[in-house]
Tab-separated table of all heavy atoms in Angstrom:
chain	number	residue	atom	x	y	z
A	22	ILE	N	11.805	1.483	21.771
A	22	ILE	CA	11.345	1.967	20.478
A	22	ILE	C	11.695	3.446	20.317
A	22	ILE	O	12.077	3.897	19.236
A	22	ILE	CB	9.831	1.744	20.323
A	22	ILE	CG1	9.541	0.243	20.302
A	22	ILE	CG2	9.318	2.404	19.055
A	22	ILE	CD1	8.064	-0.101	20.236
A	65	GLY	N	6.711	17.411	17.995
A	65	GLY	CA	6.555	18.854	18.049
A	65	GLY	C	7.839	19.606	17.743
A	65	GLY	O	7.889	20.835	17.876
A	75	GLN	N	11.273	22.410	3.381
A	75	GLN	CA	12.331	22.380	2.369
A	75	GLN	C	12.096	21.262	1.350
A	75	GLN	O	12.311	21.447	0.155
A	75	GLN	CB	13.689	22.145	3.052
A	75	GLN	CG	14.140	23.275	3.959
A	75	GLN	CD	15.343	22.854	4.801
A	75	GLN	OE1	16.124	22.000	4.406
A	75	GLN	NE2	15.482	23.462	5.976
A	92	VAL	N	4.521	9.402	-13.079
A	92	VAL	CA	3.237	9.839	-12.541
A	92	VAL	C	2.656	8.867	-11.527
A	92	VAL	O	1.622	9.139	-10.921
A	92	VAL	CB	2.203	10.056	-13.672
A	92	VAL	CG1	2.665	11.127	-14.635
A	92	VAL	CG2	1.918	8.747	-14.403
A	95	CYS	N	3.568	5.058	-6.575
A	95	CYS	CA	4.796	4.593	-5.949
A	95	CYS	C	5.949	5.548	-6.187
A	95	CYS	O	6.637	5.945	-5.246
A	95	CYS	CB	5.146	3.210	-6.480
A	95	CYS	SG	6.766	2.590	-5.988
A	100	GLY	N	1.836	10.036	-5.903
A	100	GLY	CA	2.170	9.869	-4.494
A	100	GLY	C	2.378	11.204	-3.801
A	100	GLY	O	1.977	11.393	-2.634
A	119	ASP	N	-7.605	22.817	-4.308
A	119	ASP	CA	-8.001	22.825	-5.736
A	119	ASP	C	-6.996	23.601	-6.579
A	119	ASP	O	-6.652	23.187	-7.701
A	119	ASP	CB	-9.397	23.411	-5.899
A	119	ASP	CG	-10.485	22.459	-5.408
A	119	ASP	OD1	-10.198	21.248	-5.333
A	119	ASP	OD2	-11.592	22.922	-5.100
A	138	GLU	N	-6.835	2.515	-21.175
A	138	GLU	CA	-6.919	1.998	-22.553
A	138	GLU	C	-5.960	0.831	-22.767
A	138	GLU	O	-6.280	-0.136	-23.458
A	138	GLU	CB	-6.609	3.121	-23.540
A	138	GLU	CG	-7.688	4.180	-23.627
A	138	GLU	CD	-7.262	5.359	-24.493
A	138	GLU	OE1	-6.117	5.337	-25.010
A	138	GLU	OE2	-8.061	6.315	-24.643
A	151	ILE	N	-3.077	5.430	-8.974
A	151	ILE	CA	-3.575	6.803	-9.198
A	151	ILE	C	-5.008	6.911	-8.687
A	151	ILE	O	-5.433	7.955	-8.176
A	151	ILE	CB	-3.465	7.180	-10.683
A	151	ILE	CG1	-1.989	7.246	-11.095
A	151	ILE	CG2	-4.139	8.524	-10.959
A	151	ILE	CD1	-1.763	7.511	-12.567
A	169	ASP	N	-14.756	0.985	-14.087
A	169	ASP	CA	-15.279	0.477	-15.367
A	169	ASP	C	-14.187	-0.249	-16.141
A	169	ASP	O	-14.433	-1.283	-16.769
A	169	ASP	CB	-15.836	1.630	-16.207
A	169	ASP	CG	-17.121	2.220	-15.632
A	169	ASP	OD1	-17.759	1.538	-14.796
A	169	ASP	OD2	-17.471	3.354	-16.010
A	173	GLY	N	-14.219	-4.267	-17.151
A	173	GLY	CA	-14.118	-4.751	-18.528
A	173	GLY	C	-12.860	-5.536	-18.820
A	173	GLY	O	-12.784	-6.263	-19.811
A	210	PHE	N	-8.547	-1.431	-3.197
A	210	PHE	CA	-9.032	-0.247	-3.903
A	210	PHE	C	-10.545	-0.319	-4.094
A	210	PHE	O	-11.284	0.635	-3.791
A	210	PHE	CB	-8.334	-0.100	-5.236
A	210	PHE	CG	-8.936	0.926	-6.155
A	210	PHE	CD1	-8.843	2.273	-5.873
A	210	PHE	CD2	-9.599	0.523	-7.304
A	210	PHE	CE1	-9.406	3.228	-6.722
A	210	PHE	CE2	-10.164	1.472	-8.156
A	210	PHE	CZ	-10.065	2.820	-7.864
A	215	TYR	N	-16.193	0.979	-2.678
A	215	TYR	CA	-17.481	0.459	-2.189
A	215	TYR	C	-17.928	1.221	-0.948
A	215	TYR	O	-19.101	1.619	-0.826
A	215	TYR	CB	-17.327	-1.032	-1.907
A	215	TYR	CG	-18.535	-1.691	-1.275
A	215	TYR	CD1	-19.605	-2.140	-2.050
A	215	TYR	CD2	-18.597	-1.871	0.111
A	215	TYR	CE1	-20.707	-2.757	-1.470
A	215	TYR	CE2	-19.703	-2.482	0.703
A	215	TYR	CZ	-20.739	-2.923	-0.088
A	215	TYR	OH	-21.835	-3.524	0.482
A	228	ILE	N	-15.470	-7.866	-6.070
A	228	ILE	CA	-14.926	-8.289	-4.781
A	228	ILE	C	-15.342	-9.725	-4.476
A	228	ILE	O	-14.511	-10.570	-4.106
A	228	ILE	CB	-15.378	-7.342	-3.658
A	228	ILE	CG1	-14.651	-5.994	-3.782
A	228	ILE	CG2	-15.103	-7.955	-2.281
A	228	ILE	CD1	-15.213	-4.909	-2.879
A	242	SER	N	-3.777	-25.331	5.390
A	242	SER	CA	-2.841	-25.762	6.441
A	242	SER	C	-1.863	-24.650	6.787
A	242	SER	O	-1.288	-24.641	7.873
A	242	SER	CB	-2.073	-26.999	5.976
A	242	SER	OG	-1.069	-26.671	5.031
A	246	SER	N	2.929	-22.025	3.065
A	246	SER	CA	2.242	-20.740	3.179
A	246	SER	C	0.793	-20.904	2.730
A	246	SER	O	0.433	-21.902	2.103
A	246	SER	CB	2.938	-19.673	2.343
A	246	SER	OG	2.841	-19.961	0.962
A	247	PHE	N	-0.027	-19.919	3.085
A	247	PHE	CA	-1.441	-19.982	2.712
A	247	PHE	C	-1.630	-19.707	1.223
A	247	PHE	O	-2.416	-20.380	0.560
A	247	PHE	CB	-2.252	-18.960	3.537
A	247	PHE	CG	-2.412	-19.358	4.974
A	247	PHE	CD1	-1.703	-18.699	5.973
A	247	PHE	CD2	-3.266	-20.377	5.330
A	247	PHE	CE1	-1.850	-19.057	7.292
A	247	PHE	CE2	-3.436	-20.748	6.660
A	247	PHE	CZ	-2.718	-20.082	7.646
A	259	GLY	N	-5.733	-27.914	-12.190
A	259	GLY	CA	-5.064	-28.955	-11.433
A	259	GLY	C	-3.983	-28.458	-10.503
A	259	GLY	O	-3.173	-29.254	-10.015
A	283	LEU	N	-9.400	-9.886	5.749
A	283	LEU	CA	-9.979	-9.528	7.046
A	283	LEU	C	-10.797	-8.251	6.932
A	283	LEU	O	-11.895	-8.147	7.503
A	283	LEU	CB	-8.862	-9.352	8.079
A	283	LEU	CG	-9.333	-9.097	9.513
A	283	LEU	CD1	-10.057	-10.312	10.083
A	283	LEU	CD2	-8.154	-8.720	10.403
A	288	SER	N	-17.685	-6.533	5.503
A	288	SER	CA	-18.854	-6.212	4.667
A	288	SER	C	-19.304	-7.352	3.778
A	288	SER	O	-20.407	-7.306	3.239
A	288	SER	CB	-18.527	-5.001	3.784
A	288	SER	OG	-18.161	-3.874	4.541
A	291	ILE	N	-17.392	-14.199	4.413
A	291	ILE	CA	-16.226	-15.061	4.199
A	291	ILE	C	-16.279	-16.146	5.267
A	291	ILE	O	-16.026	-15.875	6.441
A	291	ILE	CB	-14.908	-14.281	4.298
A	291	ILE	CG1	-14.859	-13.175	3.233
A	291	ILE	CG2	-13.705	-15.220	4.141
A	291	ILE	CD1	-13.587	-12.334	3.270
A	301	ASN	N	-1.589	-17.537	12.810
A	301	ASN	CA	-0.608	-18.519	12.348
A	301	ASN	C	0.587	-17.815	11.698
A	301	ASN	O	1.749	-18.127	12.003
A	301	ASN	CB	-1.281	-19.474	11.348
A	301	ASN	CG	-0.352	-20.516	10.767
A	301	ASN	OD1	0.652	-20.187	10.137
A	301	ASN	ND2	-0.697	-21.781	10.945
A	304	GLN	N	3.248	-16.227	13.925
A	304	GLN	CA	4.199	-17.077	14.605
A	304	GLN	C	5.451	-17.363	13.766
A	304	GLN	O	6.407	-17.957	14.254
A	304	GLN	CB	3.532	-18.416	14.981
A	304	GLN	CG	2.299	-18.269	15.852
A	304	GLN	CD	2.556	-17.468	17.108
A	304	GLN	OE1	3.572	-17.665	17.775
A	304	GLN	NE2	1.639	-16.572	17.444
A	306	ARG	N	8.905	-16.930	12.208
A	306	ARG	CA	10.075	-16.184	12.646
A	306	ARG	C	11.312	-16.470	11.798
A	306	ARG	O	12.047	-15.560	11.454
A	306	ARG	CB	10.393	-16.523	14.112
A	306	ARG	CG	9.313	-16.079	15.115
A	306	ARG	CD	9.308	-14.574	15.292
A	306	ARG	NE	8.447	-14.154	16.391
A	306	ARG	CZ	7.189	-13.878	16.292
A	306	ARG	NH1	6.591	-13.964	15.096
A	306	ARG	NH2	6.483	-13.506	17.333
Side-chain angles (χ1 to χ4, degrees):
I22 295 177
Q75 294 169 27
V92 299
C95 172
D119 287 339
E138 290 173 0
I151 294 176
D169 290 343
F210 169 70
Y215 174 84
I228 288 169
S242 75
S246 66
F247 288 106
L283 185 66
S288 302
I291 300 179
N301 178 301
Q304 302 306 317
R306 295 288 189 271

